[in-house]
Amino acid sequence: MYSVPKLTDFSSTKLDDAVRELLSALDSESQSVSSEPEWKAFRDRWMARKNGVLTQVNDLWLKLAPKDTKREVGQRVNELKLRVEESVQKAEGRSKAGTADSASVDITLPGIHRPIGAEHPVIKTLNEIVAVFRNLGYSVEEGPVIESDYYNFESLNFPPDHPARDTQDTLFIAKQGAKAKRDRLLLRTHTSPVQIRTMEKLKPPIRIVIPGKVHRNDPPDASHSPMFHQVEGLAVDTNITFGDLKGTLDHAMKALFGSSVKTHFRPSFFPFTEPSAEMMVSCFICGGKGTRQRALPSVQDHGLD
C-alpha cells in the first residue's frame, strides 16, 4: 500500500516522480472501490484530517520545502488535492451504482417506457402568452376549476339575477339546492375568480396573469366548446390608466405575432365591467395587405370599475 515519502530533493524532476507515483497509487486504489464501505475507507485514507495521504503530503512535502521552492510545491499540492477529491467523488458514484446493481430486481415488473408525444398546441400557446407577461414582471396565479357562485359571479359585480349571468351558460354541480346561493358549486365560466382570491390574500400593488381552463354549456362546433382556455391579467396600483392597458396589450400582441402587426383598441359594452374595451390585431400572415383580419377575444378590465 502506498505511503507518502519524505522528500529531501525538491527539484522539478524529483517532484514529478513523486507526484506520478502518488497519482498511480490513487488511480489503482480508486478502481478497486466497489461498495459503500470500501468507498468510505478509501475516502478516509486519502482525505482524513489527522493522517490522510493529503495531510501527510502537506506535512512531508510543503512544510519541509525550502523557501525558494515552496511556491512550486504548493501548486503541486493543490493540484493533487483536486485530483484526490475528483477520484473520491467518482469512486462514490461507482460504489452507489454497485450497490444498486446488487439489489434484488423483480424481473416480472413491466419495463420503463419512454413517454412519446409533444406539447399540445393549446398548452404551447398558453405558455407562450404567459411567458410574455412574465417578462413584463407579472406573476402567475391559478385557482380551482370547481368554484362557488360567490367567487364566479357575485364578487365580480354579478349580483343575483344580474342579466349578464344569462350569457354565461353555466354548468352547475348537481345537488346544490340546499346551500345558500352564493355557496353553490359550479364549473367556473371564466378565470376571473382568481382575481378575487388573489386580492384577498395579497396587498397592492398586484400584477398577475391567470391562465386556465373554463367551462360553459355551449354545443360544440368549429368555434365553440364546453371546455376552453382563457388567459387574463390583473394590475392593481396607483395611477393606472387605460393607456397602461393599451400599451401592455399592444406589446403582448407584438411579442406573440411579430412587431409588424397592428392593433386596434376601441371602447365596447360589457354588462359587468365599466369602462370596457376590446382589441383587434391585424393578420400576421398577410401583413395587413389582404382583407382577412384576425380578431382576438374581447378584453375586459375588471380593475377599472
Side-chain angles (χ1 to χ4, degrees), residues 113-189:
H113 295 281
R114 180 181 177 183
I116 299 175
E119 195 173 37
H120 191 279
V122 171
I123 302 302
K124 185 175 185 295
T125 303
L126 208 67
N127 291 337
E128 289 175 356
I129 296 172
V130 168
V132 170
F133 283 91
R134 276 186 181 274
N135 291 336
L136 291 173
Y138 285 67
S139 58
V140 180
E141 290 289 338
E142 296 179 330
V145 175
I146 298 178
E147 193 54 274
S148 69
D149 184 282
Y150 170 76
Y151 283 108
N152 195 77
F153 290 123
E154 189 174 336
S155 62
L156 288 162
N157 202 24
F158 286 76
D161 303 321
H162 191 289
R165 291 193 181 211
D166 296 337
T167 64
Q168 296 284 307
D169 297 321
T170 310
L171 294 168
F172 289 92
I173 305 298
K175 300 179 181 179
Q176 299 288 305
K179 295 182 179 179
K181 190 166 185 177
R182 61 163 42 194
D183 296 327
R184 294 176 187 176
L185 299 179
L186 49 86
L187 296 180
R188 67 180 182 186
T189 59

Side-chain angles (χ1 to χ4, degrees), residues 30-299:
S30 172
Q31 292 300 324
S32 65
V33 173
S34 59
S35 64
E36 188 171 355
E38 290 178 354
W39 170 76
K40 289 181 178 179
F42 172 68
R43 177 199 61 190
D44 294 343
R45 166 166 156 69
W46 285 85
M47 299 183 68
R49 291 186 178 181
K50 288 187 177 181
N51 58 353
V53 172
L54 285 178
T55 301
Q56 295 178 46
V57 167
N58 192 68
D59 293 340
L60 298 176
W61 294 6
L62 183 58
K63 290 183 179 180
L64 297 180
K67 187 176 182 180
D68 59 334
T69 62
K70 272 192 182 296
R71 182 173 181 179
E72 182 181 0
V73 175
Q75 291 176 344
R76 302 292 186 97
V77 171
N78 287 335
E79 292 171 1
L80 288 174
K81 181 180 179 182
L82 293 176
R83 287 288 298 273
V84 170
E85 291 175 348
E86 182 182 353
S87 292
V88 169
Q89 187 176 7
K90 289 182 178 179
E92 182 184 16
R94 288 197 302 273
S95 69
K96 290 182 178 179
T99 302
D101 292 340
S102 63
S104 60
V105 177
D106 186 352
I107 61 174
T108 64
L109 293 174
I112 300 174
H113 295 281
R114 180 181 177 183
I116 299 175
E119 195 173 37
H120 191 279
V122 171
I123 302 302
K124 185 175 185 295
T125 303
L126 208 67
N127 291 337
E128 289 175 356
I129 296 172
V130 168
V132 170
F133 283 91
R134 276 186 181 274
N135 291 336
L136 291 173
Y138 285 67
S139 58
V140 180
E141 290 289 338
E142 296 179 330
V145 175
I146 298 178
E147 193 54 274
S148 69
D149 184 282
Y150 170 76
Y151 283 108
N152 195 77
F153 290 123
E154 189 174 336
S155 62
L156 288 162
N157 202 24
F158 286 76
D161 303 321
H162 191 289
R165 291 193 181 211
D166 296 337
T167 64
Q168 296 284 307
D169 297 321
T170 310
L171 294 168
F172 289 92
I173 305 298
K175 300 179 181 179
Q176 299 288 305
K179 295 182 179 179
K181 190 166 185 177
R182 61 163 42 194
D183 296 327
R184 294 176 187 176
L185 299 179
L186 49 86
L187 296 180
R188 67 180 182 186
T189 59
H190 44 198
T191 52
S192 301
V194 182
Q195 295 190 25
I196 305 301
R197 291 183 176 275
T198 301
M199 287 189 286
E200 286 180 342
K201 68 180 182 180
L202 298 179
K203 293 181 179 180
I206 296 172
R207 281 176 173 80
I208 60 171
V209 60
I210 309 163
K213 233 182 326 188
V214 299
H215 297 78
R216 296 184 187 180
N217 187 21
D218 285 335
D221 58 30
S223 61
H224 294 84
S225 171
M227 186 280 289
F228 55 98
H229 292 78
Q230 283 187 342
V231 181
E232 67 178 270
L234 171 69
V236 181
D237 204 346
T238 56
N239 300 320
I240 287 185
T241 69
F242 249 103
D244 298 297
L245 176 64
K246 181 178 180 180
T248 299
L249 294 177
D250 181 75
H251 170 82
M253 295 306 102
K254 286 178 167 58
L256 287 169
F257 301 117
S259 59
S260 61
V261 298
K262 297 179 181 179
T263 56
H264 179 60
F265 198 79
R266 67 188 182 193
S268 183
F269 172 72
F270 297 94
F272 46 88
T273 61
E274 184 182 354
S276 304
E278 61 184 359
M279 185 181 67
M280 307 292 182
V281 58
S282 62
C283 178
F284 62 91
I285 297 174
C286 70
K289 296 179 180 178
T291 58
R292 180 173 55 173
Q293 274 197 331
R294 181 180 178 85
L296 290 183
S298 302
V299 178

